[in-house]
Structures are given as C-alpha cells and as structure tokens.
Amino acid sequence: MTRSLPGWPNGTFTNPVVAGMYPDPSICRVGEDYYLACSSFEYWPGVPILHSRDLVHWEQIGNALDRPSQLRMPAATASSGGIYAPTLRHHDGRFWLIVTNVGPGGGTIICTATNPAGPWSDPVPVPGVTGIDPDLAWDTDGRCWCTYAGIEQVRIDPWTGQVFGPPQRLWSGAPGAQAPEAPHLYRVGGWWYLLIAEGGTERGHAVSIARGPEPYGPFEPSPANPVLTHRGTHKPIQNTGHADLVEAPDGSWWMVLLGVRPGGGTPGWHVLGRETFLAPVSWVDGWPVVGELAPVMTAPPWPARPVAAPPPRDDFDADRLHPRWVSVRSRPRKYWSLTERPGWLTLHARDESLDRPEVTFVGRRQQDPSCGVRTLIDTGDGRGGLAIRLDERHHYEIEAGGGEVRVIARIGSMRWAVATRPVSATRVRLGIDVLAAPAEYWHPCQEPDIVRLGVEHADGVYEVLAELDGRYLSTEVAGGFTGRVIGMYAAFGTVRFDWLDYEPVAAKLSP
C-alpha cells in the first residue's frame, strides 16, 4: 500500500530525478535546501548547479564556472575532456567546489561561494592533487582532506591550494577492480566512511564502501560490497555508480548516483548520457544498505516540493541566456548576442561546421527519450541550423542557407549530405524529432530511437527530409562520457534565431 502524501502521484516518484547529461552528481544539504553539482566535460559554462527542496524535483540555478577567468578550454581539449566530477560541500557558512579540468592547461581547482547560484570565486589551483574526482572533507580539528581517484589522499589548505606532505594510498575497493574512483568521505557516528565507485563507468559500474576510525583510515570494507550495482542484470537502469550520500532533516539517508537508460537491441545504446538517480539508504549494523533503484520509486516521507517546469519555448527576450544553455568549449562574446536584434539570438560563425572544435553553437541537453524541437532561423547571407550533437565525429543537423535546406550526417570518418531541398525565403522553421523505440518490441538490432530532421511549413505541417538511426549518436558507438545536446549553430556568416521550442512527446516508433 502506497503512502498518501501531498504532491506525490500514487505515492511515488520517477527516476532519473535529473534527466539528460547530468552525471557524477555531488550533493550537499543546507537546512531544508539541497544542492547538486555535476560534470560538464567540454561544454561551457561548466559545472551545472541545481537546487531542490525534496530531493526529487530539481531546478538548475546556475553554473559554477561561467567566466573565462574561471574556465578555459582551448580547441585542443578533447570531446569528453574538460570538467570532470566535482564535489560540492557546505562548510563553515560557505559552499566549496573542487573539480578537475582534464585538458591543456587544466588541473584541480577550488572555487567558493556564499550563494550556490553564484557568483563563484575565481579558482584556486591545487597542483599537488593530480588525480580526478577530488573530494573535500573536514575533520573535527578543522583540517581539510582531499581524497581522489586511485584512491589517494592528501591534506590541503583549501584557501590557498597548499598540500601538506605526499599523497597516501587508501583502500581502493575490491582487489584488482577496475577504476577505483569517485571517493567521498563522511563522518557518521564514530566512524569515517569512504564511499567509492569501481568497475569502470560502463556496465560493470558499482558502489562500494569502507570505514575507519580516522579520515585517513585504516579502512575495513563492508562485508556486503558492492552496496549497489546492476551489472549482469536486465534492470532498465544500468551503469550505476559514482554516488554521494546525504542526510535529510528527518534523519533519513539518501544516495544520488549516475546511471543510464539503454534502449534498442544488443548491446543496448544509451543516448541521453549518464543521468542522476535517487535511492533510499538505511543503516544496518553500522553499514549503509541501499534500497531498490528503479524507474518508479516510493516517494520520500515528506510532501513534494515541485518546481515550475521551464517553458517549452525560449523567445530569447531576456538579457542573458538561461543557465541550461551550453556551448562547445567556450562562448566568446563577439560570436553571439541577444541585443543585436532584440528578441533574437544572433550567432556569428567561428568554425565552419560541427566537425570543428570551436563551432559557434548554443544548445541544451536532450532530456527525454522522445522529443520534438523547432526553431525559426533567419539565415540572411549566412548559413547555420539546428543540430543534435554527441561530439565532433557524431552529429546530425539540418542546415539552411544559400537558397536551400540540407540534412547532414557525420558518423565517424564519414560525412555526407543526406537530403537537400530548395527554399525561397531566408526565414525557415527547422525541426528535429526524436522517437524512442518501444520497450515492448525488441529484436537484436533494434535501434534505440530514430531522428527525423525536416522543415515545418506555415500551416504546421512537418516535412521530414531524412530519418536517421539514433544508435550512431550513442556512447556505445561514439565512446566518451557525454550525452546528446540539441541546439543552434552558425557555420558561415551571421544567422539569427527567433525562438527555440523543446517539448517531450509521448510518441514512439511503431514496431
């Protein structure tokens, strides 16, 4: 029997709680407010910050790294490079964020803020921390410990980045396990708990834990390790790992973690990236026990605190872009504007196509298995369009300019114009529809979804110019750590966009 609590339909909530490419979640609570930080990789601005009052309904309130003085990712930064796995903590009245930029001129940095929505400080380098996934924890004497992938640990001064002594090797999970990473330290009762991920961030991903008398150990592993994994199962949520723990005001404990939702046949393709999921945690004999993790979950024991859903359309009437909008590696001011033509987003071409590392692109994460996207572009004498991107070598786009509209597909080393259509006007409505494959119909080679790219006419009729297999825009094909981003780009000259609509749809492919 489900509980009847205000705001929870049927006493349940749905996972993921943050859909789309919001991986490597790190969480902290201040009073009744929860804050979440995630990886952003090669996308700028970096480290999305989200807020919730109930652990389920989240709203992005900013990005921690939103100024060139905080984050530089040159063209040589690889796709799936850039910003990896932050840790977000609240200590002594201040928010602390530690993160690693995996790219040229990068390294581990610390930023602070009194308001998690920003502004965040310019970064303090921590050159003595050389691994990814850094964590911050303060002991009862006020000393700060940084633990990072490996698993290694060093004491630091978080204000200056100074490191005290050489790094020390800690417990690193199961003997021989791949990729011990994502460490987080917590003091619960009389013990220090070291939570890590192991097994790699693919199907073998898992969460394990150990405890010790001090933040530096010695650590004994839980006899029930891994405390969470879905490897070797048919469960719809896979790649479960990279977790963080939080205690709610009522004393209950919860885990946020990343996972994926594979679709189609074998081996299963996930296209939205690694998403943020929520699971309950109980404590038994001094060890955390993670409850069932599923798409539909029993609601938390408090009223829901929903947030307003973002409107489907962004009219670009505000004086700044919403924090959900991201660009590739950087967003120099001279290449975009909301004021050159008020009410329009103006983009000036920088690189000639999405094959290039510094293309002028403004997009948002695909967050729904099936969705429809439309935009009105004015190409003038330029050329640009609407794209669905995984990286430089894997993207589809519908591009307007020069009296025609064409669909372009880039898959690995191959690039070709799939379809073309003449148009007489410079203002054209471009569209992308993504339709997920039905779970109830399966065959070994079933695609996870299809992508339909086309033109919407004045009477609302959508003319599909090309229908492409979605598996080629998946992590299992392209590799890397990211998910799809859908957005607008300029390939030549200047192009302008009046609005962009993004809406989830219930439609799926027909068997």
Side-chain angles (χ1 to χ4, degrees):
M1 180 177 180
T2 58
R3 291 168 293 175
S4 179
L5 291 166
W8 301 111
N10 302 315
T12 63
F13 72 89
T14 58
N15 261 320
V17 292
V18 186
M21 186 185 61
Y22 288 93
D24 307 323
S26 180
I27 192 169
C28 70
R29 177 178 65 87
V30 182
E32 295 185 349
D33 295 282
Y34 300 92
Y35 299 98
L36 192 76
C38 297
S39 295
S40 48
F41 299 99
E42 75 266 30
Y43 289 99
W44 196 96
V47 188
I49 303 294
L50 298 95
H51 169 252
S52 176
R53 299 296 299 277
D54 63 8
L55 281 175
V56 172
H57 300 94
W58 292 89
E59 177 183 18
Q60 187 172 346
I61 58 174
N63 296 279
L65 306 178
D66 62 0
R67 305 188 302 275
S69 62
Q70 296 173 302
L71 175 60
R72 294 188 183 276
M73 291 185 288
T77 303
S79 286
S80 288
I83 296 297
Y84 279 23
T87 291
L88 178 65
R89 293 292 182 257
H90 186 262
H91 174 74
D92 201 20
R94 181 174 293 270
F95 290 91
W96 297 81
L97 182 88
I98 186 168
V99 70
T100 304
N101 181 356
V102 181
T108 299
I109 58 173
I110 295 175
C111 296
T112 67
T114 55
N115 182 346
W120 287 77
S121 69
D122 281 346
V124 173
V126 193
V129 172
T130 57
I132 62 171
D133 303 357
D135 175 70
L136 292 177
W138 286 262
D139 63 23
T140 54
D141 295 324
R143 296 175 298 179
C144 184
W145 300 89
C146 181
T147 312
Y148 51 94
I151 302 290
E152 295 186 338
Q153 183 187 80
V154 67
R155 188 165 70 87
I156 69 170
D157 180 341
W159 290 102
T160 65
Q162 181 183 358
V163 170
F164 302 102
Q168 301 297 316
R169 178 77 65 170
L170 303 183
W171 174 78
S172 296
Q178 177 187 4
E181 58 190 1
H184 290 304
L185 271 175
Y186 318 89
R187 191 173 189 274
V188 182
W191 293 99
W192 282 90
Y193 289 86
L194 174 60
L195 187 76
I196 73 165
E198 61 182 27
T201 195
E202 297 80 31
R203 294 296 192 267
H205 216 192
V207 180
S208 293
I209 198 165
R211 69 184 183 189
E214 301 289 347
Y216 42 82
F219 290 100
E220 60 167 320
S222 166
N225 279 336
V227 294
L228 175 63
T229 186
H230 282 184
R231 61 193 179 203
T233 72
H234 287 293
K235 294 180 178 180
I237 303 168
Q238 289 291 322
N239 301 31
T240 52
H242 204 116
D244 201 0
L245 294 171
V246 67
E247 183 181 11
D250 68 350
S252 62
W253 284 78
W254 299 82
M255 175 181 284
V256 292
L257 68 146
L258 68 77
V260 305
R261 293 180 283 173
T266 185
W269 297 274
H270 75 275
V271 300
L272 302 186
R274 299 171 302 161
E275 307 174 279
T276 292
F277 294 80
L278 179 70
V281 173
S282 57
W283 290 84
V284 178
D285 297 329
W287 293 105
V289 177
V290 184
E292 180 68 13
L293 174 66
V296 179
M297 303 279 292
T298 300
W302 48 73
R305 301 291 294 272
V307 298
R313 172 169 293 189
D314 193 326
D315 278 310
F316 304 120
D317 290 332
D319 60 357
R320 64 183 63 189
L321 288 172
H322 190 279
R324 79 174 66 91
W325 292 107
V326 295
S327 297
V328 181
R329 295 179 181 82
S330 64
R331 190 189 293 157
R333 284 294 317 179
K334 65 180 180 179
Y335 293 107
W336 70 280
S337 174
L338 292 170
T339 58
E340 285 186 27
R341 181 187 290 179
W344 292 67
L345 172 64
T346 297
L347 299 182
H348 302 289
R350 188 180 177 195
D351 260 346
E352 61 189 13
S353 77
L354 272 87
D355 298 351
R356 305 294 300 161
E358 293 185 305
V359 63
T360 301
F361 174 86
V362 176
R364 53 157 297 162
R365 295 158 174 88
Q366 181 185 338
Q367 294 185 276
D368 302 275
S370 296
C371 64
V373 184
R374 301 288 185 272
T375 189
L376 174 61
I377 184 175
D378 185 347
T379 60
D381 295 327
R383 181 165 45 85
L386 185 63
I388 180 166
R389 177 190 191 273
L390 198 68
D391 60 25
E392 281 78 27
R393 292 167 53 85
H394 301 85
H395 51 85
Y396 302 151
E397 57 259 40
I398 180 160
E399 185 172 279
E404 72 173 12
V405 171
R406 59 179 183 161
V407 175
I408 300 167
R410 173 69 191 264
I411 302 172
S413 60
M414 297 181 293
R415 173 188 168 91
W416 68 101
V418 178
T420 61
R421 182 192 187 282
V423 292
S424 57
T426 61
R427 294 191 181 189
V428 186
R429 293 191 180 199
L430 305 177
I432 294 177
D433 285 345
V434 181
L435 300 178
E440 62 272 14
Y441 175 72
W442 184 91
H443 68 74
C445 296
Q446 172 76 49
E447 63 276 303
D449 56 11
I450 62 167
V451 181
R452 292 174 176 163
L453 302 98
V455 176
E456 186 174 85
H457 298 287
D459 58 4
V461 174
Y462 184 54
E463 178 186 356
V464 177
L465 300 183
E467 182 174 290
L468 302 176
D469 191 327
R471 82 185 71 202
Y472 302 109
L473 305 186
S474 72
T475 300
E476 283 75 15
V477 169
F481 302 122
T482 59
R484 292 178 183 168
V485 176
I486 301 176
M488 304 149 287
Y489 71 96
F492 175 79
T494 298
V495 295
R496 308 179 196 276
F497 298 86
D498 189 16
W499 44 262
L500 184 137
D501 288 347
Y502 173 100
E503 292 191 85
V505 296
K508 293 183 178 181
L509 293 177
S510 298

